[in-house]
Amino acid sequence: MSRLHAKQLRLLIAIEESGSLLGAANKVGLTQPGASKALRELEATLAVELFERTNRGLIPTEAGRCALRFARLIQSDINNLRFELDAIASGAGGHLAIGTIMGAVPLLSDAVSNLLMQQPHMSVEIVEDTSETLLGLIERGRLDAAICRSSVSRNPEAYESLFVKDESLSVIANVRHPAMGADAVELRELQDSRWVVYRAHMPMRRLLEREFHEARLNFPLHLIETTSALTTVTMLGRNTDLVALVSDDVASYFCHNGLVGALALTLKSRSEPYELVSRKGAPRSSVLALLIESLRQVCG
């Protein structure tokens, strides 16, 4: 550790981003010979080759990708230190970067709203995306935690997970959809509908595919794939033949505002519960601890 320097780590990240030593040198304020020397010293310190020299530029080796991951985590932790110290000095209440999958947006919104009532000077960054993308952001230190599912990762042991809430699902559609208002709807009646869904391999998409398989129905073609709740509801609002599978929380919010309606379709499969996922071994900040308590209050 005594032989590693912050500028070397910044150079490592800059090389990956620019693909060349000259471009990286300009980013970190070094001459090209100085950057070359710093890279050689870093490789000598770690006793590995970090980049492969090719006619396309510098390409990270397997060891380089590993070093880059930790360099980004170190950089993120230093940035978090800066945010925390600035917050303490200014009385701003700290900074929280939190991710969420689409279905948990209403839940997280309630929890953050409660938290801001307790910490009115706190700043919050909220990122909505798939579990896969959110886990990558956690691993790179870009998020403190996310409400998602660690099961989609190839290395779930790299994360710590806290149970948040079981998820229940609804099928929603335009209020003028032909099946709206029916006492009961069968899945086969929606086989020819155009579905708005998550992309393949995501938990909610797998659940829907399982429902069709167990009903001995072909999975619909010509899908609309999105991870955005706003896109989903906007598309439903403009097309009377579309249907979508969303969490009950999302369905309740949009149905309450008259934007869409819920179809009387009973699903047989159970969804995976929400988890609050963070990087294993990462220190838990005071604001993250407050969010966990707020989530517990919201979930009852």
Side-chain angles (χ1 to χ4, degrees), residues 268-288:
K268 298 177 181 178
S269 301
R270 295 192 62 180
S271 181
E272 295 180 39
Y274 297 139
E275 302 171 313
L276 185 70
V277 183
S278 57
R279 177 163 47 95
K280 180 170 287 187
R284 182 179 295 175
S285 68
S286 58
V287 288
L288 181 57

Side-chain angles (χ1 to χ4, degrees), residues 92-96 112 115-116 119-124 287 290:
H95 177 270
L96 177 67
V112 169
L115 183 56
L116 291 175
Q119 301 286 330
H121 300 297
M122 188 179 75
S123 59
V124 182
V287 288
L290 289 172

Side-chain angles (χ1 to χ4, degrees), residues 221-271:
L221 302 174
H222 314 302
L223 304 168
I224 299 173
E225 297 182 326
T226 181
T227 61
S228 167
L230 179 59
T231 299
T232 298
V233 173
T234 301
M235 291 298 298
L236 293 179
R238 295 181 178 176
N239 299 271
T240 58
D241 61 330
L242 297 183
V243 292
L245 179 65
V246 299
S247 72
D248 277 355
D249 290 340
V250 170
S252 296
Y253 179 80
F254 286 116
C255 290
H256 177 74
N257 287 279
L259 299 175
V260 295
L263 298 178
L265 173 68
T266 301
L267 298 170
K268 298 177 181 178
S269 301
R270 295 192 62 180
S271 181

Side-chain angles (χ1 to χ4, degrees), residues 2-280:
S2 63
R3 296 168 63 190
L4 286 174
H5 302 285
K7 183 163 284 191
Q8 290 175 322
L9 299 180
R10 293 203 307 272
L11 176 65
L12 185 65
I13 296 169
I15 292 173
E16 183 200 29
E17 291 175 345
S18 64
S20 74
L21 202 56
L22 177 59
N26 292 334
K27 280 190 173 185
V28 299
L30 290 172
T31 63
Q32 185 169 354
S36 180
K37 179 182 178 183
L39 177 59
R40 288 198 305 271
E41 289 175 347
L42 181 58
E43 290 180 323
T45 298
L46 300 177
V48 291
E49 185 179 33
L50 299 175
F51 292 92
E52 180 184 356
R53 282 71 174 171
T54 72
N55 56 7
R56 293 175 295 152
L58 297 177
I59 308 298
T61 62
E62 183 177 355
R65 289 191 294 272
C66 176
L68 276 161
R69 181 163 58 88
F70 280 94
R72 290 188 184 280
L73 291 175
I74 292 169
Q75 184 182 57
S76 176
D77 285 341
I78 292 173
N79 287 338
N80 288 338
L81 171 63
R82 188 193 68 213
F83 283 130
E84 294 268 346
L85 292 177
D86 288 347
I88 291 171
S90 64
H95 177 270
L96 177 67
I98 187 76
T100 180
I101 55 177
M102 179 176 69
V105 168
L107 171 65
L108 179 62
S109 297
D110 288 344
V112 169
S113 296
N114 288 348
L115 183 56
L116 291 175
M117 292 178 64
Q118 305 170 38
Q119 301 286 330
H121 300 297
M122 188 179 75
S123 59
V124 182
E125 175 187 0
I126 300 176
V127 178
E128 179 191 343
D129 216 309
T130 64
S131 291
E132 183 179 30
T133 298
L134 295 174
L135 292 174
L137 293 174
I138 292 171
E139 185 176 347
R140 295 195 296 274
R142 303 288 179 86
L143 293 176
D144 297 312
I147 300 179
C148 60
R149 297 180 176 98
S150 59
S151 61
V152 304
S153 172
R154 296 179 181 178
N155 302 298
E157 66 279 359
Y159 307 97
E160 291 181 355
S161 301
L162 292 175
F163 171 83
V164 174
K165 179 185 176 183
D166 286 317
E167 182 187 52
S168 52
L169 303 173
S170 295
V171 175
I172 59 175
N174 187 292
V175 292
R176 297 186 301 278
H177 188 279
M180 191 63 63
D183 292 336
V185 177
E186 298 293 331
L187 190 60
R188 58 179 173 78
E189 299 175 52
L190 304 176
Q191 184 178 14
D192 295 328
S193 295
R194 187 186 291 269
W195 284 75
V196 184
V197 296
Y198 267 109
R199 61 177 177 261
H201 310 304
M202 292 293 98
M204 196 179 294
R205 171 72 170 271
R206 293 200 303 262
L207 184 146
L208 185 61
E209 290 173 347
R210 187 164 62 248
E211 286 282 320
F212 273 90
H213 175 74
E214 292 180 355
R216 300 183 181 276
L217 298 171
N218 293 325
F219 192 69
L221 302 174
H222 314 302
L223 304 168
I224 299 173
E225 297 182 326
T226 181
T227 61
S228 167
L230 179 59
T231 299
T232 298
V233 173
T234 301
M235 291 298 298
L236 293 179
R238 295 181 178 176
N239 299 271
T240 58
D241 61 330
L242 297 183
V243 292
L245 179 65
V246 299
S247 72
D248 277 355
D249 290 340
V250 170
S252 296
Y253 179 80
F254 286 116
C255 290
H256 177 74
N257 287 279
L259 299 175
V260 295
L263 298 178
L265 173 68
T266 301
L267 298 170
K268 298 177 181 178
S269 301
R270 295 192 62 180
S271 181
E272 295 180 39
Y274 297 139
E275 302 171 313
L276 185 70
V277 183
S278 57
R279 177 163 47 95
K280 180 170 287 187

